[in-house]
């Protein structure tokens, strides 16, 4: 409406045009120079002020423009010509903004100011009324900022709640491109935080997989459905990221075999017998599937790749061509070759005497006593399935009919260890390792049971109905009918289209 009012030809009685000269340039001022310290990140470092240009007039007093039609944007730059700038949209009616030490240091890092050195920082406000009208600019406010040094080689991996996971990607060239290997479950999602505090996620406007954004509207990144080892590259310069799934790795040379991946440890291992102590020469190569902005997360579109490692100085490099890797053997006999990818700054391949077998998380959690009202016995016939290894979370449907309650057991037919009642009731509560008390069972019926051995908690939810959706690409809900067998439901559907 504003654009039509301002730019369209509006005929008055005498044929004149109604026009506006656009928004007035703002007058910008600030609180002065700033010396920043990492010890005072939350302290106030800068206050900017400007006047209000929300009210505009036309050459016809009978025609008014609505307030706040102008879009104002703060621009920060390391050069007075603003060839490159960090832009921050302003809210309607906003006439001042404050920045903490950490926020201003982040801006200084993003525009390229050198750490621990006083440099000019240029600030102005751009005012725009319509796309086809030239913007107006405030005066340029100049201040000298001494930022503290931040480590721009570290890309901190955050979970979907924006909490530090302890995982890292590395930008060894300080160029905004972060890479490394991450062991993830299918569809695992994350954000990446740079050293300057900028958090990157998926573009939340288009929703296109592998497109990046640092705007407030961003979503979290997400991996394809394949679980395993991914060589991950996050390119903040081009706002794109990619994930290369390493599906297999083979060892050739003085020893041969296929490496086995441990996702939680982010290591590949191979047990072998060494004929003697000394040094062996091996090569490591395998297969992978590349996912990027072009393929999305569609497995059918993933690009087949050859993956390999080679030795460079005292570390390893990753690529498509294998190279000789020298490995020291301390003692003849049983050894374990370990390719450790957990440190993005330095990958290693070493041989360890004996077996360095990583303990595997139990894929099932058994519920003994959950149906003793039928059989009169405590069996291991009912179990939950692991669905989140990081949280040690299990879930499953159980036909509950219990006399005395039940306990959770990580290993089939093994009574110790077990998890008993800490506190709670039949619907929800806490667990305790080797607890004496049974978890109280709900009334007989079909229940969704969940348990977390990390949070030591459980829930039971009665299942009253089951629906399906997505058949024929139709995402409306279709009610299913319960059969005589608990937990089995049935529906007759006739898809009118394919079901992708």
């Amino acid at each position: 409406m504003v654009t039509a009012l301002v730019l369209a030809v509006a005929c008055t009685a005498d044929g004149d045009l109604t026009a506006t000269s656009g928004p007035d340039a703002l007058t910008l001022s600030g609180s002065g120079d700033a010396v920043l310290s990492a010890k005072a990140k939350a302290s106030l470092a800068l206050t900017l002020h400007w006047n209000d240009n929300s009210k505009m007039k036309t050459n016809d007093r009978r025609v008014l423009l609505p307030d706040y039609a102008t879009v104002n944007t703060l621009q920060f730059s390391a050069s007075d010509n603003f060839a490159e700038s960090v832009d921050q949209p302003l809210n309607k009616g906003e006439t001042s903004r404050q920045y903490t030490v950490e926020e201003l240091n982040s801006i200084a890092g993003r525009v390229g100011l050198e750490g621990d050195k006083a440099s000019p920082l240029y600030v102005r406000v751009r005012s725009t009324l319509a796309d086809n009208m030239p913007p107006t600019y405030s005066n340029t406010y100049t201040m000298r900022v001494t930022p503290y040094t931040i480590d721009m080689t570290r890309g901190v991996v955050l979970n979907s709640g924006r909490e530090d996971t302890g995982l890292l990607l590395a930008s060894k060239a300080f160029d905004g491109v972060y890479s490394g290997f991450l062991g993830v479950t299918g569809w695992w999602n994350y954000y990446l935080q740079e050293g300057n505090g900028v958090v990157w996620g998926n573009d939340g406007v288009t929703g296109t997989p592998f497109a990046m954004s640092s705007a407030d509207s961003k979503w979290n990144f997400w991996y394809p459905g394949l679980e395993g080892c991914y060589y991950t590259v996050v390119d903040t310069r081009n706002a794109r990221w990619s994930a290369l799934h390493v599906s297999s790795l083979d060892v050739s040379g003085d020893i041969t075999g296929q490496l086995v991946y441990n996702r939680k440890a982010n290591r590949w291992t191979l047990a072998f017998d060494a004929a003697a102590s000394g040094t062996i020469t091996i090569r490591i190569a395998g297969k992978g599937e590349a996912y990027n902005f072009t393929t999305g997360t569609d497995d059918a579109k993933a690009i087949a790749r050859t993956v390999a490692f080679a030795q460079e100085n005292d570390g390893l490099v990753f690529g498509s061509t294998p190279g000789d890797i020298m490995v020291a053997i301390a003692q003849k006999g049983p050894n374990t070759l370990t390719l450790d990818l957990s440190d993005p700054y330095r990958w290693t391949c070493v041989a360890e005497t004996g077996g360095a077998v990583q303990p595997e998380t139990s894929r099932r959690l058994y519920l003994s006593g959950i149906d003793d009202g039928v059989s009169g016995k405590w069996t291991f016939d009912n179990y939950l399935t692991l669905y989140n290894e990081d949280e040690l979370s299990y879930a499953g449907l159980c036909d509950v009919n219990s006399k005395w309650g039940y306990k959770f057991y990580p290993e089939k037919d093994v009574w110790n260890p077990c998890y008993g009642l800490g506190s709670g009731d039949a619907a929800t509560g806490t667990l305790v390792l080797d607890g004496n008390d049974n978890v109280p069972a709900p009334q007989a019926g079909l229940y969704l049971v969940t348990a977390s051995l990390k949070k030591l908690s459980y829930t039971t939810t009665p299942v009253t109905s089951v629906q399906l959706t997505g058949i024929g690409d139709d995402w409306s809900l279709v009610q299913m009918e319960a059969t005589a067998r608990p937990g089995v439901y049935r529906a007759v559907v006739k898809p009118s289209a394919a079901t992708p």
Side-chain angles (χ1 to χ4, degrees):
M1 291 176 61
V2 172
T3 303
L5 178 63
V6 174
L7 303 178
V9 177
C11 297
T12 61
D14 55 5
D16 291 338
L17 298 180
T18 300
T20 177
S21 59
D24 294 332
L26 293 171
T27 301
L28 177 65
S29 61
S31 56
D33 298 343
V35 178
L36 309 180
S37 170
K39 297 180 180 180
K41 291 183 178 181
S43 300
L44 181 63
L46 172 65
T47 302
L48 296 173
H49 298 276
W50 55 91
N51 55 305
D52 185 0
N53 67 348
S54 63
K55 301 180 185 299
M56 291 189 298
K57 299 178 181 179
T58 68
N59 62 348
D60 187 338
R61 286 181 296 178
R62 296 170 298 174
V63 180
L64 302 177
L65 285 175
D67 294 343
Y68 307 119
T70 302
V71 176
N72 293 324
T73 304
L74 264 174
Q75 295 186 304
F76 297 84
S77 180
S79 60
D80 57 4
N81 62 6
F82 289 84
E84 294 184 358
S85 63
V86 172
D87 294 356
Q88 295 186 343
L90 296 174
N91 301 319
K92 293 180 179 180
E94 191 174 7
T95 57
S96 67
R97 183 167 286 193
Q98 293 183 321
Y99 294 88
T100 65
V101 167
E102 185 175 27
E103 291 169 338
L104 185 57
N105 198 78
S106 173
I107 293 172
R110 293 177 66 186
V111 302
L113 297 192
E114 186 178 345
D116 303 316
K117 176 183 176 181
S119 304
L121 178 66
Y122 301 94
V123 192
R124 70 182 183 186
V125 180
R126 181 185 66 202
S127 301
T128 306
L129 179 61
D131 291 340
N132 58 347
M133 294 186 69
T136 58
Y137 296 94
S138 72
N139 60 298
T140 297
Y141 174 71
T142 305
M143 59 182 296
R144 295 186 70 80
V145 177
T146 306
Y148 55 85
T149 301
I150 52 180
D151 186 358
M152 291 300 289
T153 69
R154 290 164 52 90
V156 179
V157 178
L158 309 178
N159 63 18
S160 57
R162 303 200 183 187
E163 301 166 322
D164 190 349
T165 63
L167 303 174
L168 294 174
L169 297 179
S171 177
K172 300 175 185 178
F174 299 88
D175 57 358
V177 180
Y178 300 86
S179 62
F181 289 93
L182 296 177
V184 302
T185 54
W187 305 115
W188 191 74
N189 46 77
Y190 73 104
Y191 296 95
L192 190 79
Q193 183 178 45
E194 295 188 90
N196 58 8
V198 176
V199 175
W200 291 89
N202 197 86
D203 177 20
V205 177
T206 66
T208 305
F210 298 100
M212 291 170 50
S213 174
S214 60
D216 291 339
S217 59
K218 61 182 173 289
W219 301 341
N220 43 353
F221 297 126
W222 66 92
Y223 281 89
L226 288 174
E227 177 179 316
C229 178
Y230 283 86
Y231 179 66
T232 303
V233 179
V234 178
D235 187 346
T236 65
R237 301 173 306 178
N238 297 308
R240 295 288 185 268
W241 75 286
S242 62
L244 173 55
H245 178 248
V246 182
S247 52
S248 65
L249 287 175
D250 295 308
V251 179
S252 61
D254 290 339
I255 61 172
T256 60
Q258 187 172 73
L259 291 162
V260 177
Y261 185 61
N262 183 291
R263 184 185 63 80
K264 296 202 73 174
N266 202 4
R267 296 173 180 171
W268 297 77
T269 58
L270 171 65
F272 69 98
D273 282 325
S277 60
T279 300
I280 60 173
T281 302
I282 63 169
R283 289 193 170 191
I284 298 176
K287 299 178 180 179
E289 301 80 38
Y291 299 84
N292 54 36
F293 180 76
T294 302
T295 67
T297 57
D298 188 347
D299 294 338
K301 295 181 180 179
I303 303 168
R305 292 280 171 83
T306 299
V307 298
F309 290 87
Q311 198 161 38
E312 188 175 278
N313 299 323
D314 63 342
L316 300 178
V317 292
F318 178 69
S320 58
T321 304
D324 289 346
I325 299 173
M326 314 300 287
V327 179
I329 306 295
Q331 186 176 324
K332 66 176 293 188
N335 277 259
T336 299
L337 184 73
T338 301
L339 174 65
D340 191 339
L341 305 177
S342 60
D343 184 352
Y345 297 95
R346 187 172 182 270
W347 306 315
T348 61
C349 185
V350 299
E352 301 171 276
T353 302
V357 179
Q358 301 290 342
E360 289 292 333
T361 301
S362 174
R363 313 307 292 183
R364 292 179 176 181
L365 187 63
Y366 296 88
L367 295 84
S368 193
I370 199 78
D371 63 351
D372 65 351
V374 178
S375 65
K377 299 178 180 180
W378 277 41
T379 69
F380 287 79
D381 296 336
N382 295 278
Y383 58 85
L384 310 182
T385 303
L386 180 71
Y387 72 89
N388 186 329
E389 189 170 352
D390 293 329
E391 296 295 328
L392 293 179
S393 296
Y394 297 79
L397 288 168
C398 292
D399 187 22
V400 177
N401 189 338
S402 175
K403 286 184 176 181
W404 311 108
Y406 60 99
K407 290 183 180 180
F408 296 93
Y409 299 84
E411 190 172 350
K412 184 177 176 62
D413 298 325
V414 177
W415 297 103
N416 188 30
C418 71
Y419 292 86
L421 178 69
S423 63
D425 53 28
T428 182
T430 63
L431 299 172
V432 61
L433 180 62
D434 296 328
N436 292 322
D437 296 330
N438 297 338
V439 176
Q443 294 182 353
L446 187 66
Y447 289 82
L448 170 66
V449 183
T450 71
S452 171
L453 298 188
K454 183 175 181 180
K455 297 179 180 179
L456 292 176
S457 62
Y458 69 89
T459 66
T460 60
T461 305
V463 177
T464 57
S465 68
V466 174
Q467 298 166 304
L468 67 85
T469 184
I471 297 293
D473 211 19
D474 179 1
W475 292 92
S476 56
L477 294 171
V478 177
Q479 189 68 41
M480 304 189 74
E481 296 180 356
T483 67
R485 183 180 175 186
V488 179
Y489 290 76
R490 180 176 181 271
V492 177
V493 295
K494 185 179 180 180
S496 58
T499 305

